[in-house]
Amino acid sequence: MFLHSVNLWNLAFYVFMVFMATLGLWDVFFGFEENRCSMSYMFEYPEYQKIELPKKLAKRYPAYELYLYGEGSYAEEHKILPLTGIPVLFLPGNAGSYKQVRSIGSIALRKAEDIDFKYHFDFFSVNFNEELVALYGGSLQKQTKFVHECIKTILKLYKGQEFAPKSVAIIGHSMGGLVARALLTLKNFKQDLINLLITQATPHVAPVMPLDRFITDFYMTVNNYWILNARHINLTTLSVAGGFRDYQVRSGLTFLPKLSHHTSALSVVSSAVPKTWVSTDHLSIVWCKQLQLTTIRAFFDLIDADTKQITQNSKKKLSVLNHHFIRHPAKHFEENPSIISDLTGTSMWVPVKVSRWTYVAYNESDKIYFTFPLANHRKIYTHVYCQSTMLDTNSWIFGCINSTSMCRQGVDLSWKAELLPTIKSLTLRLQDYPSLSHLVVYVPSIHGSKFVVDCEFFKKETRSIQLPVTHLFSFGLSSRKVVLNTSGLYYNIELLNFGQIYQAFKINVVSKCSGVREEITSIYKLHIPWSYEDSLTIAQVPSNTEISLKLHIAQPENDSHVALLKMYTSSDCQYEVTVKTSFSQILGQVVRFHGGALPAYVISSILLAYGGQLYSLFSTGYCLEYAIILDKEAKPYKVDPFVIMIKFLLGYKWFKELWDLLLLPELDAIVLTSQSMCFPLVSLILFLFGTCTAYWSGLLSSASVRLLSSLWLTLKRPSELPKDIKMISPDLPFLTVVLIIISWTTCGALAILLSYLYYVFKIVHLQASLTTFKNSQPVNPKHSRRSEKKSNHHKDSAVHHLRLSASDAEDSLRMHSTVINLLTWIVLLSMPSLIYWLKNLRYYFKLNPDPCKPLAFILIPTMAVLGNTYTVSIKSSKLLKTASQFPLPLAVGVIAFGSAHLYRVPCFVFIPLLLHALCNFM
């Protein structure tokens, strides 16, 4: 019946929109590289020693615990406190386990063993009872206060030791990182208690799904504090994102706000981290061996030899993090590296005068210095590029000042090199080093090893090639191509007009090689200069390599840098680079950045259909099918122009002052603009997706009611249509009071769910009664219409005197189908707090704070009345016209204020439902 009410064109449109949404969802959930993280294993059985907390603290936080991680002999030794190491506190995130500390704890223990426990770290972990804090924000403040107490407890464990710590380092995964940042907002918290904060996949900017006001309030408190007090916050902070594999927390949310006066914060995507170079999903970021090794190397480099604790020197901390997480020069970290190096000893000095040079070293018995005189090269070339496949940490390239053929001392240029997966490379602009007379490449004596060193001089314009990306709406039908004909080792492809998050492309690199070599490896590095979100692709050439080109962070308005494809190539190969728009990845970016707003657009479409049904009932006396009215009323031009107009007017001072005077919240479109998340036509796309979802959810709810009614008829004796319509049955007040008491004493979402089930039961019962009536009494259509007109003509204003015909029942079911659809989405939005309450029921019988309690007090009686409401009882209501006019402005309000704040959406939905229920009495 539902499908019959839709014409084929509309059905085809809804199927097409499902296909489009599927393309976007596929890109988000499957359109990324395979998991290249190595699993980290424990060498001995992991043990978690529970730290005894003060009784008052344990009583105040019965669900929370503190543990110390250990393995083998280390675990046995540290069962007897106090401790002697460097404390690190791990904070799990949403539904996270305290046992997730084992990966980084085990690697740190192995590293300490390698240096005979000269230094070692003690890893603590907090058990938050795997609370769903990303969905329910009511416990975030409680977690923050508990962590503060844990830090004080941890530091007491070192009391009386020679090198007792005065602060702890914190590693926070997911929401645990936000809780760590929230510590600074506590009144009695001393900032000196934290010496370093590393967050992994933490959404710092905004919540992934703002399902209650406690989450958004918590975010606002934390971020406002960090912005307003940035000059006084001296906490070195590193935020690591997972990249495109992490579809739970998109990487753009993990970037800490860039403030000119707050330089102690770094944000990076794991694919750009040296020696890691992989994208991680939301869970693997805590066990990815490559990333955890990098983190532990940084921790050991942060130790102050005098205090045997993490250094208090902010400059050193930032230098260490830059060294390990941003740009690694293929050398061990040194706080004050010696720039001038001695080039002495019995070594051969070999002059090289050619512009391109390759040396294959194998079983070298003597040290060799290859010298490149720069005087003649400066006249012809602008840059020099060198690379080596020997990935040791020794200095390998130097600059000589005023030398003829050899020099005793040279400027160590190795610190300016960059480590890549298969090579270490260095590019120098010659005019930046006017005092250098020679470039020196050092080849050590080796036995049994083989490596290759290459150097070449070049002009910048021959290696920097511009490649404009294709237009957004070319849909991949056109492409742009460049061919690298010269046999160079390094190229910069400038990707012009690329800088927005809604752009997405496929880059295809085809390599063709002449000559035969054992192995030829090329590296393609996508470099985004305005954020650390680089990614690397390693290709064995000749090959055909596809690279995805899309952004986590949009290019800032005042930034003029150009995204680059850096190509580390082979001189024996030619390369062809093609770029074309990827439509599926564009849809993926829409879903990735705006998918969380979809429920608001779905409910907006349903509200428009709901208003259309009420108006149809007012004007014609009968209710249209949901699918027909959805197609007629759910139009984007009824909503979007109003939102755009309000956003435009808010640019004027007088309107903004009026807006603030009315105490209206900030428009969500302005919030999205501030986060650089405005796509062209994104609201239209989301509205179409929302309408499509509203259609299929209506189909599902209608089918579910029919299925349940059939099941009811199978299990129960067939029932009849009610002879008299009673708005308030004898059991209704009692049921309402019971549900309100449940809401007050336990959880508002539970009461809403029970009210919803009662409402569904009433509708299923009505459907079953109608089915029984139709099966037992074939009705003449003409006679039915005459009977309906007669009953409508003679109906009394007293509701209980009304009689329900089959056509009235069908009309009522059409209306109830829409209401069920609306209520289903409200119940879904309130489910997180219910799940949280059920999970913590053994600790707390009453959910406090409860985001759904105020809503429950209104929805419970409203749903109770609507369950006994029929269209025949409200046709003549004086309030019906007003009730039919409210859904349109409320649909606009849902988009204007609920797309980035989903917890506001139910506030717009209960108003038309309440008016609908009041139509029975007015």
Side-chain angles (χ1 to χ4, degrees), residues 557-577:
E557 290 183 5
N558 57 352
D559 194 299
S560 59
H561 291 94
V562 179
L564 300 173
L565 177 64
K566 294 185 174 183
M567 299 181 64
Y568 301 87
T569 56
S570 170
S571 57
D572 297 328
C573 302
Q574 288 189 337
Y575 296 81
E576 182 180 281
V577 182

Side-chain angles (χ1 to χ4, degrees), residues 353-370:
K353 296 183 179 180
V354 294
S355 61
R356 183 178 295 134
W357 168 83
T358 299
Y359 183 79
V360 180
Y362 184 68
N363 279 339
E364 298 293 332
S365 57
D366 298 319
K367 301 174 184 177
I368 307 175
Y369 289 102
F370 293 94

